[in-house]
Amino acid sequence: DIQMTQSPSSLSASVGDRVTITCQASQGISNFLNWYQQKPGKAPKLLIYDASNLETGVPSRFSGSGSGTHFAFTISSLQPEDIATYFCQQYDHLPITFGQGTRLEIK
Amino acid sequence: EVQLVESGGGLVKPGGSLRLSCAASGFTLSAYGMNWVRQAPGKGLEWVSFISSSSRHKYFADSVKGRFTVSRDNAKNSLYLQMSSLRVDDTAVYYCARGRSGYSGPNCFDPWGQGTLVTVSS
């Protein structure tokens, strides 16, 4: 199975900060990497697909980059409504696997 | 509006069975592969199963292979997960999630239903 390692596991930042989360795959997965946001008590929501493509309707402050084994997810200017847990997910090989999640809090 | 609504969760004893349903609306179910993803309380996400649009391709996580089956009825706009030989570690919120059209395997998950809680306990 491909292991997805997210870093950090939790993060505290101030409104307006630039925030970056990384995801490392245990083997190359090309750009078959998606990012999700999950707010407490809610289902996850797709934000970025294929490493760098912004899902329709998602604010442009969210972005993704990377290919192969190293990927990054960035919020350019943190907003209060961005408080959530973020997950990466690979679909290059079965089984589909997710990162362990990054819990983002407001400082 | 695209919507997925799961049902069928509940409390079941170890070794028991349960059937989850997912009702789809706002889109043509027959055009999309569909997935089940679960989340144990306070834990991360675990992909469970995928079924292609025509039901030709079905895939399962090793943790449920041989115990869970997946099916769909496109005419009824519904997806199902039949779970048997349930174990305590199957306790989780189970989500159905749509894949992207044109893929014969799982890819991304969008949108998700609200989830249904399955609790396996004696």
Side-chain angles (χ1 to χ4, degrees):
Chain A
D1 298 3
I2 295 178
Q3 305 304 315
M4 305 301 294
T5 303
Q6 266 184 254
S7 187
S9 56
S10 65
L11 176 58
S12 182
S14 300
V15 172
D17 282 355
R18 182 180 181 87
V19 169
T20 297
I21 298 167
T22 64
C23 186
Q24 182 172 342
S26 59
Q27 64 187 78
I29 58 170
S30 185
N31 68 330
F32 300 130
L33 188 285
N34 305 312
W35 290 95
Y36 299 86
Q37 175 193 65
Q38 186 177 32
K39 296 185 177 181
K42 300 294 187 182
K45 174 187 174 183
L46 177 68
L47 299 182
I48 302 286
Y49 64 95
D50 296 345
S52 60
N53 295 291
L54 193 67
E55 177 70 350
T56 302
V58 173
S60 59
R61 64 180 181 274
F62 297 101
S63 65
S65 64
S67 68
T69 60
H70 286 79
F71 301 86
F73 171 82
T74 298
I75 306 173
S76 60
S77 178
L78 185 66
Q79 300 301 303
E81 61 266 32
D82 299 336
I83 298 312
T85 300
Y86 293 85
F87 296 92
C88 61
Q89 171 245 322
Q90 68 81 23
Y91 69 97
D92 189 44
H93 291 282
L94 290 177
I96 302 295
T97 48
F98 291 86
Q100 79 278 15
T102 296
R103 180 174 292 183
L104 180 55
E105 300 174 339
I106 294 286
K107 193 179 294 182
Chain B
E1 178 193 6
V2 173
Q3 193 170 16
L4 298 169
V5 178
E6 301 93 339
S7 60
L11 176 63
V12 60
K13 288 182 167 50
S17 298
L18 209 56
R19 188 196 197 204
L20 305 184
S21 299
C22 173
S25 60
F27 68 100
T28 304
L29 183 64
S30 60
Y32 295 85
M34 295 295 293
N35 301 269
W36 290 96
V37 180
R38 68 184 181 183
Q39 187 170 35
K43 302 296 184 182
L45 299 167
E46 180 186 17
W47 170 76
V48 172
S49 180
F50 168 86
I51 181 169
S52 63
S53 56
S54 66
S55 302
R56 179 178 180 183
H57 303 281
K58 299 179 182 180
Y59 304 106
F60 297 91
D62 285 346
S63 58
V64 306
K65 203 172 290 183
R67 301 187 299 121
F68 289 12
T69 60
V70 64
S71 62
R72 62 192 294 162
D73 186 333
N74 289 335
K76 293 184 177 179
N77 293 314
S78 292
L79 172 72
Y80 307 101
L81 185 69
Q82 179 68 47
M83 305 183 295
S84 60
S85 302
L86 282 161
R87 310 188 299 221
V88 171
D89 61 359
D90 292 318
T91 294
V93 173
Y94 285 74
Y95 297 99
C96 65
R98 191 180 72 175
R100 286 198 177 262
S101 63
Y103 286 76
S104 60
N107 41 91
C108 68
F109 310 118
D110 175 52
W112 301 55
Q114 86 288 351
T116 187
L117 177 62
V118 172
T119 303
V120 184
S121 174
S122 54

